[in-house]
Structures are given as structure tokens and as C-alpha cells.
């Protein structure tokens, strides 16, 4: 296998290099473009507060788990997940955890590059003074018609951005990724801090600080909460292959929890700093804080147009945004490339070009979503909206759920313990509990309600007479209960290697017999022998349930 993860070329050369690359992956459009507008639309401080809780209580534990699978599997995500599963005598179909990552990253990059292209284009336009005299109407028109409306322009910048990304990834871990982040990350940091200082000193600092940090809990809605969890996951680069791939290159002696903590803290710090760079200016020039996705591309240019020296400040801001996007994009291309390299034996440079080309071509669908195909809408909207929906609302929560459940429940406990070093036993237990209980429930809840799968499940449950509510909060609660009562028993049986029982428990979900789920849990807790006898009666092999040879993990996952 050419260039397998085992070769010395495929490990980070230092802990700093690894942290810089991972922070580079995490810090991206999510922090500087998305986070501020979600804070704006989500009611300010309340959103920030709940976001912080999600990052550290749910995102951080999953990040440790994802790094762990990557490092232990020491290969591209699907291979890594399969290897780790085999090491714990689990079924090789756990490879799907890795596949979600590779495929998810592939599709996310296809539209990520288009938005990053907007940033490049705004950078050039601001620096050349073309946005010098902008009115609110002109700014909207500029974004939707002049830039977005032109296929050639969006396509051109998408092309340039993908070429840059492929160029870096083609040069390998040490020559490409590490080199790039060594220059780009400090530049990003300097630009960001400069922006914040400037913005706080000339803008409406007080109003911005109140907006960001004063939690008005009344503003918190179910939608906000779901959005905050989704944003925390996206911003930390979780469940989309990037962190698992970067984890594969981590030497055994680095502490995963410590690294993950630094990455999560840096990512959150940058998101908040981005808010501090943007909102003082937004308030200073009397603009709308809750402008939605147009905040950075439509609202902010107005501030740059009015302020003295806006050409420089605006240019610096879009340069910052472009750099952040680039270091994330390389981590989105890396899963595909490492898989092509390791599984297909394709040389790195070639793999980067072919992988990048495929993503680039798919990205044309997102390019056209702004212009030629802006009227072509189906299901969730334009092509871009659909890809965004599937990756963010279906693949990401499912992948995160899978990683949490796999590491906490299905891996060998000793193997897990040997990977999670550098923290006390108490912290370790806390991590395991968060990962095994809190994360799955939260991620299942977000998956059910954000993907709309809850309606499906609840409608089936409805056959048993429970009713489907239209209130999002009630639905969220109901879907969570459905998960705990109906899917957990199935997972529990699968974990104990009882495929038939897992199937039986799973039938609960389909048939909507919640009481059966409860009964199952009760019996399982008090008389597991009864269930084992049932399993025998159902025709399973009569060998000892925990024997290592019995590696079927059942239907759950
Ligand atoms: N975390 C990146 C951002 O905030 C996006 C990303 C998601 C990158 C998933 C890699 C994997 O923009």
C-alpha cells in the first residue's frame, strides 16, 4: 500500500504542527461567516451561552473519540474504523463511520469552496476600491446579481479556490498541510486580533458586548438550540472525516484529551473574536445585526464602504475569511485523498488532483444554485441547499452518534482507556459518561428533529395511538424519548452480541410498542439470563455469549 498511514511521512512532525492543522480545520467559514449571523438571528447572548455548553459537553467528548478512532486505526477513515472494530471483535460494517466522514467531507467541500470563492472575490473587490460607495440596496444587488448572479464569476473563484486547496494537499502532510498552516495560522491570528482591536476602539463596543454576552434566555427557542448544536459540530469539524483523518497522523504519545481541549477552546475563542470584530461595526453604522447569511457579504461591506480606511480594513477582513476557509478546505479534501492513496494505491499528487477534480465538478451544482439554477428548487431548495441539508442535518449527527456509541459502548474498554491518556480517572469517567449517555441522546434528538426523521418515526408510533405534535419542542422531546426507549434496548443487545435480540428490540421502533422497549430494559437489567435463554430459543449458536469468536454485532448502530 503506497503511502500507508504507517509510513513516517504520514505523521505530524510535532505536537504544534498537529494542533495548528487541527485548529486550522476547525476555524473556518463556520466561525467567521456562520457563527456571527447565527448569534445575530438566534438572539445574541442566549445563543452564545448554549453554544458554549454544547462545545464542551458534547463536541469535546466526540472530538476525543473521533481522534481516538483515527489514531488507533492509523489509516483513512473507513479503513481506520474497520480496523478498530476488528480489534474489538466487532463487525467490519462499522466502516460506515468512516464512510460517512469521507463522503460527507467530499460533499461539504463541494459547496464550501463556492462560499470561500465569494470571500476571495470580495477581498479583491474591496482592495481595488470597487465597493467604495455602496448603498444598502446596491449591496444586496451587488451580492445577488453582480457576483452571485454571474455564473462565470462564481465559477471562476470556485476554480481558483479548489486549485489552491489541491495544490497544498498534493504536497503531502509535511510539505503541504504543515507548511501551509505554519504560515497561514499565525497570519490569521494577527489579522483577527488586529480587526478586533480596531473594531472595539472605533465601533460601538458596549452595544456589541451586551449583544454577545448578555443572555436573554427568553430568546432561546427549540430551533436555536438545535442550530447551536449543529453549529458546534460543524465548527469543530466533527463527524465529517477531517478530525478522524488528522487523528490518524497523531503519534501515540500525544494526549488526545489535552489536544482536543486546546482545539475546541481555540475554535470557540476565534468564533467569539469574530463576533467582536463584526458587531461593533455593525452597530456603529446602524446596520442590522440579525441579517442572516448576508451579514458578512451584504451588511459588513456597507460598514467598510463608510469607514475611513475601509479598503484596508475590509480587504484584511476578507483575507482573514479566505485563509480560514483554506485551512479548513484542506482538511475536507484530505479524507478522500488519504483513502485513494491507501486503498487504491494512487500516488498522493494524483489522488489530490483526481479527488479535487471530482469535488470541483460536483461543486458546479452549487455554483449554479446562485445563478443559472437559482429557480431550480426541489425538496429543501436549491442544489446547494440540498447538499447542505444532507451533510449537516443527516450525515453529521448520524456520524457523531455512531462515533459516540461505537467508542463508548462497542470498543474494548481497555483499548479505549489506553488511548485516552493524560487525564485523571475521574475526568476519564466523566468523559465516558458524557460520550455514552449525553452525546447519543443529544445527537439522536438533533438527528430526528433536524432531518425530519422524527415525523416519520412519530407517525409510525402514532399507529399505536400516541399522536404527532406540531410543536417543535414537544416533537423534540418525543423523538428523544423514542430514541431512549426504543433504540437503546436494541443497541444494548447488540453490544452484548445478541443480534436476534437486537433485531427484536429494533422491531419496537417499527411497530411503535414503547412498553415493550421499557420491558426489555427492565428485564435486561434484572434478568439478563432470561433474554439469553430467549436468544437460544430463537436459534442462536449455543456458545458462551461473550466468547471472542462470536463477532456479530447485530443490526444496530
Ligand atoms: N470547521 C470548519 C468551519 O468552521 C468546517 C469543517 C467542517 C471543516 C467539517 C472540516 C470538517 O468552517
Amino acid at each position: 500500500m503506497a503511502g500507508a498511514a504507517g509510513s513516517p511521512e504520514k505523521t505530524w512532525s510535532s505536537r504544534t504542527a498537529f494542533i495548528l492543522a487541527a485548529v486550522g480545520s476547525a476555524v473556518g467559514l463556520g466561525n467567521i461567516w456562520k457563527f456571527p449571523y447565527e448569534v445575530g438571528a438566534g438572539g445574541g447572548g442566549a445563543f452564545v451561552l448554549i453554544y458554549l455548553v454544547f462545545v464542551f459537553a458534547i463536541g469535546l467528548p466526540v472530538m476525543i473519540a473521533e481522534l481516538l478512532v483515527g489514531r488507533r486505526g492509523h489509516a483513512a477513515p473507513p479503513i481506520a474504523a474497520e480496523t478498530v472494530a476488528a480489534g474489538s471483535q466487532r463487525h467490519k460494517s462499522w466502516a460506515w463511520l468512516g464512510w460517512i466522514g469521507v463522503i460527507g467531507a467530499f460533499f461539504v467541500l463541494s459547496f464550501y469552496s463556492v462560499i470561500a470563492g465569494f470571500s476571495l472575490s470580495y477581498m479583491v473587490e474591496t482592495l481595488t476600491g470597487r465597493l467604495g460607495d455602496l448603498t444598502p440596496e446596491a449591496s444586496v444587488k451587488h451580492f445577488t446579481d453582480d457576483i452571485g448572479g454571474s455564473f462565470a464569476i462564481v465559477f471562476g473563484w470556485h476554480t481558483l479556490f479548489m486549485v489552491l486547496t489541491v495544490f497544498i494537499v498534493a504536497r503531502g502532510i509535511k510539505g503541504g498541510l504543515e507548511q501551509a498552516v505554519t504560515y497561514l495560522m499565525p497570519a490569521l491570528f494577527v489579522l483577527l486580533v488586529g480587526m478586533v482591536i480596531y473594531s472595539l476602539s472605533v465601533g460601538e463596543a458596549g452595544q456589541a458586548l451586551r449583544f454577545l454576552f448578555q443572555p436573554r434566555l427568553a430568546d432561546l427557542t427549540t430551533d436555536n438550540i438545535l442550530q447551536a448544536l449543529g453549529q458546534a459540530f460543524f465548527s469543530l469539524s466533527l463527524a465529517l472525516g477531517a478530525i478522524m483523518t488528522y487523528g490518524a497522523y497523531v503519534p501515540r504519545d500525544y494526549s488526545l484529551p489535552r489536544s482536543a481541549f486546546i482545539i475546541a477552546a481555540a475554535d470557540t475563542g476565534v468564533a467569539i473574536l469574530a463576533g467582536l470584530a463584526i458587531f461593533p461595526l455593525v452597530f456603529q453604522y446602524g446596520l442590522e445585526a440579525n441579517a442572516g447569511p448576508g451579514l458578512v457579504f451584504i451588511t459588513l461591506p456597507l460598514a467598510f464602504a463608510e469607514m475611513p480606511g475601509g479598503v484596508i480594513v475590509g480587504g484584511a477582513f476578507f483575507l482573514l475569511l479566505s485563509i480560514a476557509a483554506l485551512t479548513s478546505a484542506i482538511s475536507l479534501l484530505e479524507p478522500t485523498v488519504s483513502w485513494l492513496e491507501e486503498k487504491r494505491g494512487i500516488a498522493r499528487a494524483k489522488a489530490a488532483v483526481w479527488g479535487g477534480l471530482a469535488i470541483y465538478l460536483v461543486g458546479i451544482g452549487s455554483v449554479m444554485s446562485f445563478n443559472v439554477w437559482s429557480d431550480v428548487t426541489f425538496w429543501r431548495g436549491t442544489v446547494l441547499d440540498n447538499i447542505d441539508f444532507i451533510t449537516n442535518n443527516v450525515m453529521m449527527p448520524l456520524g457523531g452518534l455512531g462515533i459516540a456509541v461505537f467508542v463508548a459502548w462497542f470498543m474494548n474498554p481497555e483499548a479505549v482507556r489506553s488511548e485516552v491518556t493524560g487525564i485523571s480517572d475521574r475526568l476519564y469517567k466523566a468523559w465516558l459518561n458524557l460520550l455514552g449517555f449525553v452525546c447519543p441522546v443529544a445527537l439522536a434528538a438533533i438527528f430526528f428533529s433536524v432531518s425530519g426523521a422524527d415525523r416519520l418515526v412519530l407517525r409510525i408510533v402514532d399507529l399505536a395511538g400516541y399522536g404527532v405534535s406540531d410543536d417543535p419542542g414537544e416533537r423534540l422531546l418525543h423523538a428523544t424519548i423514542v430514541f431512549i426507549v426504543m433504540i437503546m434496548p436494541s443497541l444494548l443487545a447488540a453490544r452484548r452480541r445478541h443480534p436476534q435480540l437486537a433485531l427484536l428490540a429494533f422491531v419496537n421502533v417499527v411497530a411503535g410498542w414503547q412498553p415493550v422497549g421499557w420491558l426489555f430494559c427492565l428485564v435486561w437489567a434484572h434478568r439478563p439470563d432470561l433474554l439469553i435463554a430467549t436468544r437460544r430459543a430463537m436459534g442462536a449458536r449455543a456458545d458462551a455469549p461473550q466468547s471472542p469468536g462470536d463477532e456479530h454485532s447485530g443490526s444496530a448502530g
Side-chain angles (χ1 to χ4, degrees), residues 444-445 448-449 454 457-458 474-484:
F448 277 128
S449 38
D454 63 331
V457 174
L458 294 180
E474 252 171 60
R475 267 176 47 204
L476 182 62
L477 191 71
H478 202 156
T480 312
I481 295 175
V482 167
F483 176 75
I484 297 177

Side-chain angles (χ1 to χ4, degrees), residues 25-26 28-31 112 234-235 237 240 242 328 331-332:
S25 168
L29 294 171
N31 304 60
Y112 201 86
F234 185 79
S235 192
S237 297
L240 287 176
S328 296
S331 77
L332 285 164

Side-chain angles (χ1 to χ4, degrees), residues 495-556:
R495 166 184 145 89
R496 298 285 188 95
R497 305 176 200 284
H498 296 314
Q500 291 90 346
L501 290 184
L503 199 66
L504 187 70
F506 191 71
V507 169
N508 287 325
V509 181
V510 181
W513 302 321
Q514 279 155 321
V516 178
W518 282 114
L519 199 69
F520 189 96
C521 282
L522 272 178
V523 178
W524 189 258
H526 296 287
R527 295 288 307 275
D529 52 314
L530 276 185
L531 292 185
I532 291 165
T534 318
R535 176 196 175 217
R536 294 233 170 91
M538 287 169 74
R541 275 184 289 147
D543 50 2
Q546 299 274 16
S547 79
D550 183 7
E551 24 75 302
H552 302 286
S553 64
S555 60

